[in-house]
């Protein structure tokens, strides 16, 4: 097995004449919480979209461990243990919080089991197991008190925790988080960080896009920076803090 949870090779995305991601080659170290930074429009979300299967690369490859996953759809990747959250959470707003979690895994209701009666019983059992699992995850992300609320009614910060919960339904080994702390109050951000750390100690690899430099420097290592579709820096958070090019290109403009 390779040391890399994810390997990107020459990953490129063109939107018409515009190259949003330009020849990105990267290895994400297994067991890391890797930070991905860069100014608005740098191509960070587009990169996530290609890795998580919601956009097909124009060229290049993505591997999850040793498995080439280039161009596979999100549901397949979810069942292979790669999950992502969205920069802007998109829950099913009228469905309850717990139902949102129960929808997350790919449908796998006893299609192969012969016999309608047996199938029905099996479905009921699976649904029960799914609900138990969803409840457990809601406990973990501290949302169990909101289980039966419509997901559209919870706060923005709680939606970010719900997104993490949805990702966890697939028992992922790798989770991509797109700006998990943006617009989230400090209390919920702290809960989020605690949960990320706990999962990470249990072996889950994270890649985290964040503009909040304090968050990145404190919680992410290594740090990767993109600008104009390309990787412009890779190093430890300490190196990121003191890299003049990075300060100039990114931190300078953010300040
Ligand atoms: N579907 C699309 N069609 C055309 N252009 C797109 C599309 N998606 C993204 N882009 C462009 O690609 C560039 C990179 O966008 P992307 O969303 O990946 O940036 P980002 O680094 O995530 O920025 P932010 O920090 O603002 O979220 C931007 O110029 C954006 O306008
Ligand atoms: Mg983005």
């Amino acid at each position: 097995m390779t040391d890399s949870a994810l390997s990107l090779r020459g990953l490129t995305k063109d939107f018409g004449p515009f190259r949003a991601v330009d020849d990105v080659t990267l290895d994400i170290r297994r067991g890391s919480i890797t930070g991905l930074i860069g100014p608005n429009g740098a191509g960070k979300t587009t990169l996530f979209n290609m890795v998580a299967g919601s956009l097909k690369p124009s060229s290049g490859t993505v591997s999850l461990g040793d498995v080439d996953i280039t161009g596979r759809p999100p549901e397949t990747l979810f069942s292979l243990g790669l999950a992502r959250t969205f920069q802007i959470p998109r829950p099913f707003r009228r469905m309850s919080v717990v139902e949102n979690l129960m929808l997350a895994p790919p449908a796998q209701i006893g299609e192969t089991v012969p016999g309608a009666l047996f199938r029905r019983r099996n479905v009921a059992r699976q649904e029960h197991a799914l609900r138990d699992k969803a409840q457990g995850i809601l406990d973990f992300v501290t949302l169990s008190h909101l289980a039966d609320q419509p997901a559209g009614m919870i706060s923005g910060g709680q939606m970010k925790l719900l997104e993490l919960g949805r990702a966890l339904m697939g028992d992922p080994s790798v989770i991509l988080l797109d700006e998990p702390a943006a617009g989230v109050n400090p209390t919920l951000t702290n809960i989020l960080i605690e949960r990320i750390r706990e999962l990470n100690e249990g072996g889950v690899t994270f890649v985290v896009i964040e503009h909040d430099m304090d968050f990145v420097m404190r919680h992410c290592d290594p740090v990767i920076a993109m600008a104009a579709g390309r990787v412009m820096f890779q190093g430890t958070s300490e190196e990121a803090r003191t890299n003049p090019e990075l300060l100039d290109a990114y931190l300078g403009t953010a300040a």
Side-chain angles (χ1 to χ4, degrees):
M1 253 226 271
T2 87
D3 271 355
S4 303
L6 283 171
S7 305
L8 284 47
R9 293 288 173 271
L11 212 56
T12 296
K13 183 69 195 178
D14 294 322
F15 295 112
F18 176 67
R19 182 154 287 185
V21 173
D22 188 4
D23 194 23
V24 168
T25 291
L26 277 180
D27 286 289
I28 301 298
R29 198 175 66 225
R30 196 181 297 284
S32 67
I33 302 176
T34 296
L36 178 57
I37 64 174
N40 295 120
K44 306 179 298 294
T45 296
T46 305
L47 190 77
F48 267 21
N49 284 340
M50 287 192 282
V51 172
S54 39
L55 267 183
K56 285 209 194 309
S58 303
S59 57
T61 61
V62 185
S63 304
L64 178 65
D66 296 319
V67 182
D68 185 337
I69 57 165
T70 314
R72 304 263 202 113
E75 313 78 69
T76 306
L77 299 182
F78 194 76
S79 62
L80 288 174
L82 173 63
R84 66 91 60 91
T85 66
F86 289 93
Q87 187 166 352
I88 299 165
R90 5 168 143 164
F92 295 97
R93 304 182 73 88
R94 292 192 191 187
M95 299 185 81
S96 71
V97 165
V98 69
E99 284 164 347
N100 265 271
L101 286 200
M102 291 172 67
L103 279 177
Q108 45 173 248
I109 307 284
E111 240 83 86
T112 57
V113 180
L117 181 66
F118 187 58
R119 186 150 60 229
R120 222 169 19 241
R121 228 185 289 149
N122 205 34
V123 168
R125 203 178 300 137
Q126 277 203 12
E127 196 177 305
H128 195 77
L130 202 57
R131 186 171 287 270
D132 277 355
K133 181 172 185 176
Q135 296 282 9
I137 288 175
L138 283 184
D139 272 345
F140 182 71
V141 298
T142 68
L143 294 178
S144 45
H145 61 296
L146 298 168
D148 298 319
Q149 294 287 317
M153 302 287 284
I154 65 178
S155 75
Q158 289 165 339
M159 279 188 197
K160 298 265 183 176
L161 286 166
L162 176 59
E163 283 274 298
L164 177 63
R166 280 164 60 100
L168 293 176
M169 288 297 286
D171 301 318
S173 58
V174 180
I175 305 181
L176 313 177
L177 299 174
D178 198 344
E179 301 197 19
V184 179
N185 73 44
T187 310
L188 287 186
T189 302
N190 284 335
I191 292 173
L192 195 73
I193 289 164
E194 244 173 59
R195 290 326 190 216
I196 291 171
R197 288 212 169 275
E198 200 172 327
L199 290 161
N200 181 247
E201 273 156 29
V204 180
T205 302
F206 284 87
V207 186
V208 186
I209 297 176
E210 220 3 285
H211 285 290
D212 180 341
M213 280 306 115
D214 186 49
F215 182 106
V216 173
M217 297 306 170
R218 283 172 51 190
H219 305 295
C220 301
D221 195 20
V223 174
I224 297 168
M226 288 179 72
R230 303 186 71 100
V231 173
M232 58 165 291
F233 169 88
Q234 290 192 64
T236 64
S237 51
E238 190 51 40
E239 286 162 350
R241 219 192 303 267
T242 51
N243 182 285
E245 202 187 348
L246 191 60
L247 287 170
D248 220 26
Y250 183 47
L251 302 180
T253 58

